[in-house]
Amino acid sequence: VLTAVEMGMKNHDLVPTPLIIRIAGLKKGGGRKVIGLLHKNKLIVHENKAYDGFRLTYLGYDYLALKTFVARNQLAGIGRKIGIGKESDIYECIDNEGVERVLKVHRLGRICFRSVKSKRDYLGKRNHASFLYMARLSAVREFAYMKALYDHGFPTPVPIDQNRHCVLMSKVNAFPFGNIKELINPHIVYSNLMNIIVRLAEHGLIHCDFNEFNLMISTDGVVTMIDFPQMISTNHVNAKFYFDRDVQCVKDYFRRKFHFCSEDSPAFQVDTETIISLDKELVASGHKVQQQEQEHYEEYLNLKAEHSLENREEEDDEDDQKVQLADGGDEVSAGHSA
């Protein structure tokens, strides 16, 4: 029945009860009983506006995705939530062999993104599209970029599987870069981060949100990139702006957090000669959405980038109010975020 609601939402904001029963192939009495049970457990929600109908909730969408992962023998159990962002939740999980993995569940439509459809021409003529649809689109794109980057030797988690709005990946033995208090060799880490930005550009891509919130670092200083839906091509009309902003984000963070300043930084189209057009390769592999959908998605990416910039500015204000600590020994201090 949940699958029937999902299918009906392709061209309905609210799926009428008779249509759900017809798609699910159930008898009228039994169908209404199942629908009532799903509604009671908040897997679907009932609305009676223009007409009477139901739509999936994120909880119902979660169930469909998890059921698919289990059927593919990719998932055996879900653990605690290890991260939460403005547009996703991160969970620990295990596969059938007991290997720890990470499940990223995209949840567009909360906090600042809730007003996108009302304040911007986000969906164009797709009046039936929902945040569930955009969350799925975001997950598809993130998995595509992660797989392409991993295959070309970039430091990313191992992409395992993707279904609907969920991305399954390997667990990285590292800490959020924003939780690190001190670095033994900040100049080495700084150089490695700049090299990653340049390598991405040489492969035809710009991260667009390259900051401490989207980086992991191990105790021995190995950096891992995360969060890829916002990546764009170096042929984008605003490619130089986003490239320079990624570089500046790293410089500002090292200056503010580790009191490390460097004049050495890459320049777009000077240090970034394209070697491999990875953006075109992704199109060839069938992960490109239709042109109209891509325009709408880019508008969401711009909004996400603006929000990340506001978060960093707020952190700058908070750091200015903190008491400066005395110089200590060179050691790395890190901790998990709950």
Side-chain angles (χ1 to χ4, degrees):
V1 175
L2 282 177
T3 303
V5 178
E6 180 186 28
M7 294 175 62
M9 287 181 64
K10 291 181 179 179
N11 49 18
H12 291 79
D13 289 329
L14 295 174
V15 189
T17 301
L19 180 59
I20 297 174
I21 295 174
R22 186 164 65 250
I23 295 175
L26 299 175
K27 293 182 179 180
K28 186 174 181 179
R32 291 185 179 277
K33 183 177 180 180
V34 174
I35 291 173
L37 182 63
L38 295 176
H39 181 259
K40 180 180 179 181
N41 288 277
K42 300 181 180 180
L43 299 180
I44 57 176
V45 64
H46 173 260
E47 292 186 15
N48 188 9
K49 295 181 178 178
Y51 57 90
D52 186 70
F54 294 84
R55 59 177 173 82
L56 277 176
T57 63
Y58 264 119
L59 186 61
Y61 212 42
D62 293 348
Y63 179 86
L64 289 173
L66 294 177
K67 185 175 183 296
T68 301
F69 284 136
V70 172
R72 294 175 180 174
N73 295 319
Q74 298 284 16
L75 193 63
I78 298 289
R80 66 189 179 95
K81 184 185 294 186
I82 59 176
I84 182 170
K86 59 183 177 293
E87 58 176 22
S88 64
D89 293 328
I90 314 296
Y91 295 90
E92 285 183 330
C93 55
I94 57 172
D95 62 10
N96 292 332
E97 299 178 355
V99 179
E100 290 186 343
R101 294 178 173 178
V102 170
L103 181 70
K104 180 174 182 179
V105 184
H106 291 252
R107 301 198 188 282
L108 273 65
R110 63 186 182 191
I111 310 180
C112 67
F113 292 109
R114 188 171 298 278
S115 61
V116 174
K117 289 191 291 186
S118 61
K119 294 184 178 180
R120 301 199 181 192
D121 187 17
Y122 188 61
L123 295 172
K125 297 179 180 179
R126 297 184 63 90
N127 296 323
H128 63 273
S130 65
F131 283 117
L132 295 182
Y133 167 80
M134 297 306 297
R136 180 187 65 81
L137 182 60
S138 178
V140 168
R141 177 160 299 199
E142 175 159 30
F143 185 78
Y145 278 114
M146 189 190 305
K147 188 176 187 306
L149 292 173
Y150 179 79
D151 291 343
H152 284 79
F154 283 89
T156 71
V158 180
I160 297 174
D161 201 358
Q162 177 268 327
N163 182 260
R164 293 177 173 88
H165 63 316
C166 297
V167 177
L168 189 63
M169 65 191 82
S170 65
K171 185 177 181 180
V172 179
N173 186 23
F175 307 100
F177 193 53
N179 290 0
I180 303 299
K181 296 180 180 179
E182 293 185 55
L183 289 175
I184 297 176
N185 297 306
H187 61 285
I188 295 178
V189 178
Y190 174 87
S191 178
N192 290 340
L193 293 176
M194 291 302 177
N195 288 337
I196 292 174
I197 294 175
V198 171
R199 281 191 61 206
L200 284 171
E202 289 175 343
H203 285 70
L205 296 170
I206 298 174
H207 191 281
C208 290
D209 203 12
F210 200 82
N211 55 58
E212 66 274 17
F213 303 111
N214 296 325
L215 295 169
M216 306 283 288
I217 186 168
S218 64
T219 54
D220 55 355
V222 177
V223 176
T224 302
M225 289 190 300
I226 57 175
D227 196 15
F228 311 102
Q230 70 284 336
M231 297 185 77
I232 64 171
S233 169
T234 49
N235 293 320
H236 192 278
V237 64
N238 295 321
K240 184 180 185 303
F241 167 78
Y242 289 119
F243 179 90
D244 292 342
R245 191 178 65 180
D246 281 351
V247 171
Q248 193 62 43
C249 282
V250 175
K251 294 178 67 175
D252 290 344
Y253 186 71
F254 270 73
R255 173 184 50 79
R256 182 180 73 247
K257 191 69 175 283
F258 308 118
H259 307 291
F260 174 83
C261 297
S262 175
E263 297 299 327
D264 295 331
S265 60
F268 188 66
Q269 293 181 338
V270 176
D271 303 309
T272 59
E273 182 178 354
T274 301
I275 299 175
I276 301 175
S277 296
L278 198 54
D279 49 347
K280 294 182 180 179
E281 181 178 323
L282 289 169
V283 173
S285 64
H287 292 286
K288 183 181 179 182
V289 296
Q290 295 179 358
Q291 184 64 33
Q292 186 182 22
E293 292 175 342
Q294 185 161 348
E295 291 175 359
H296 303 151
Y297 192 76
E298 286 179 357
E299 188 167 349
Y300 146 68
L301 298 182
N302 292 334
L303 183 62
K304 177 185 175 183
E306 292 171 6
H307 186 69
S308 296
L309 187 59
E310 290 175 1
N311 284 344
R312 287 193 294 273
E313 290 174 350
E314 290 176 0
E315 282 207 350
D316 285 342
D317 294 339
E318 292 177 0
D319 289 343
D320 290 341
Q321 297 174 6
K322 292 181 179 179
V323 178
Q324 295 295 330
L325 298 177
D327 293 338
D330 288 336
E331 60 181 15
V332 175
S333 175
H336 283 92
S337 59

